[in-house]
């Protein structure tokens, strides 16, 4: 097969704040690939079908992604070539450490690499409810927090923190949380004195919020730190 273009999402510069499409991340057709000859080094050549864009990629922009190279993340794709035992051309796979390219070489040790059903209706679910986000929730609540069911279903009192009054209303009226507050306009310490103490805290940000919660944590309370 002749060499063809290989669309890629390239990390072009490190953002100081929010990444800007076209400035920090650029989609380009400059890269090329020979599907028959590209080295696999024991891995797979995959035709990408779906990509997942996750918040932790922003951290990777500071620590891991290399300027001028494709970013990596969660993908669903179809195997074109394989040097990995148990995987054959035509298989559909999910992988968590694959380059964001139209044709991606997936390393043999890629995290959570596995075959998935040949069913288009489920492909996107592997970067959604069957993917990393749900595993984070399941492990956090069932394995770490020791809650037998998710929060309200378990009968726990749930306190939500968000950044707008509109979201506070949504948390209370739509999701049924017992309490919710706008951390931009309300004092967290005062809220927790009123609504606490805390047995389980799911932390995404650290900093002052985490320290304040620790001040209101019950003995043997649990903190699930998913921002690390």
């Amino acid at each position: 097969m002749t060499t063809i273009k290989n669309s890629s999402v390239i990390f072009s510069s490190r953002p100081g704040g929010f990444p800007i499409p076209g400035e920090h991340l650029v989609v380009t057709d400059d890269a090329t690939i020979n599907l028959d000859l590209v080295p696999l080094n024991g891995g797979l050549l995959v035709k990408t079908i779906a990509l997942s864009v996750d918040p932790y990629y922003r951290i990777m922009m500071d620590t891991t992604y290399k300027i001028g190279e494709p970013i990596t993340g969660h993908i669903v794709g179809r195997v074109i070539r394989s040097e990995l035992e148990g995987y054959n051309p035509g298989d559909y796979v999910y992988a968590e450490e694959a380059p964001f390219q139209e044709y991606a070489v997936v390393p043999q040790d890629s995290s959570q690499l596995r075959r998935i059903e040949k069913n288009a209706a489920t492909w996107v679910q592997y970067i959604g409810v069957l993917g990393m986000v749900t595993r984070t929730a399941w492990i956090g609540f069932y394995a770490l927090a020791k809650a037998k069911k998710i929060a309200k279903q378990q009968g726990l009192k749930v306190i939500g923190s968000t950044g707008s009054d509109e979201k506070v209303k949504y948390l209370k009226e739509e999701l049924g949380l017992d309490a919710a507050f706008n951390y931009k306009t309300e004092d967290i310490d005062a809220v927790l004195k009123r609504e606490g103490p805390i047995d389980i805290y799911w932390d995404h940000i650290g900093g002052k919020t985490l320290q304040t919660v620790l001040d209101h944590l019950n003995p043997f309370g649990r903190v699930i730190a998913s921002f690390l």
Side-chain angles (χ1 to χ4, degrees):
M1 176 177 288
T2 58
T3 299
I4 61 174
K5 290 185 177 181
N6 193 19
S7 298
S8 308
V9 180
I10 300 296
F11 183 50
S12 55
S13 64
R14 300 194 187 280
F18 289 107
I20 300 173
E23 180 177 342
H24 304 109
L25 295 170
V26 177
V27 178
T28 176
D29 290 326
D30 292 344
T32 59
I33 188 171
N34 188 308
L35 302 183
D36 295 322
L37 301 178
V38 61
L40 304 184
N41 299 314
L44 307 172
L45 176 61
V46 170
K47 172 69 165 68
T48 301
I49 296 172
L51 304 169
S52 177
V53 180
D54 294 289
Y56 81 89
Y57 293 177
R58 177 60 186 84
I59 299 174
M60 303 281 278
M61 293 179 184
D62 291 334
T63 62
T64 305
Y65 293 155
K66 296 180 179 180
I67 292 175
E69 296 186 4
I71 66 170
T72 59
H74 305 239
I75 74 165
V76 169
R78 178 172 55 85
V79 176
I80 304 298
R81 287 172 49 212
S82 173
E83 293 180 356
L84 185 58
E85 184 177 359
Y87 293 84
N88 301 298
D91 288 344
Y92 290 85
V93 296
Y94 166 82
E96 292 188 352
E97 297 175 4
F100 275 20
Q101 297 179 287
E102 184 176 358
Y103 293 94
V105 175
V106 178
Q108 60 180 322
D109 59 352
S110 179
S111 176
Q112 300 296 326
L113 175 63
R114 60 185 181 273
R115 287 191 305 276
I116 61 176
E117 297 88 347
K118 295 181 180 180
N119 182 349
T122 66
W123 291 338
V124 71
Q125 304 303 324
Y126 280 89
I127 54 175
V129 298
L130 299 178
M132 180 270 294
V133 173
T134 300
R135 287 200 307 278
T136 301
W138 193 96
I139 292 171
F141 269 95
Y142 286 79
L144 300 179
K146 306 300 184 183
K148 294 181 180 179
K149 293 186 179 180
I150 299 295
K152 286 295 294 180
Q153 293 180 353
Q154 171 66 8
L156 302 178
K157 178 179 180 178
V158 180
I159 305 169
S161 171
T162 187
S164 71
D165 293 338
E166 181 182 6
K167 291 179 181 178
V168 168
K169 181 178 180 181
Y170 174 78
L171 291 177
K172 289 181 177 179
E173 298 181 3
E174 298 295 329
L175 299 186
L177 270 64
D178 300 283
F181 65 96
N182 183 342
Y183 65 83
K184 295 180 180 178
T185 58
E186 295 188 67
D187 180 67
I188 299 175
D189 184 66
V191 171
L192 296 184
K193 284 179 179 178
R194 180 178 73 243
E195 303 291 349
I198 305 299
D199 290 302
I200 301 169
Y201 175 54
W202 198 303
D203 188 29
H204 292 281
I205 57 173
K208 180 181 177 181
T209 298
L210 173 60
Q211 185 56 58
T212 303
V213 171
L214 292 178
D215 293 339
H216 292 273
L217 200 67
N218 273 328
F220 306 104
R222 282 87 72 198
V223 175
I224 297 90
S226 61
F227 65 91
L228 298 176

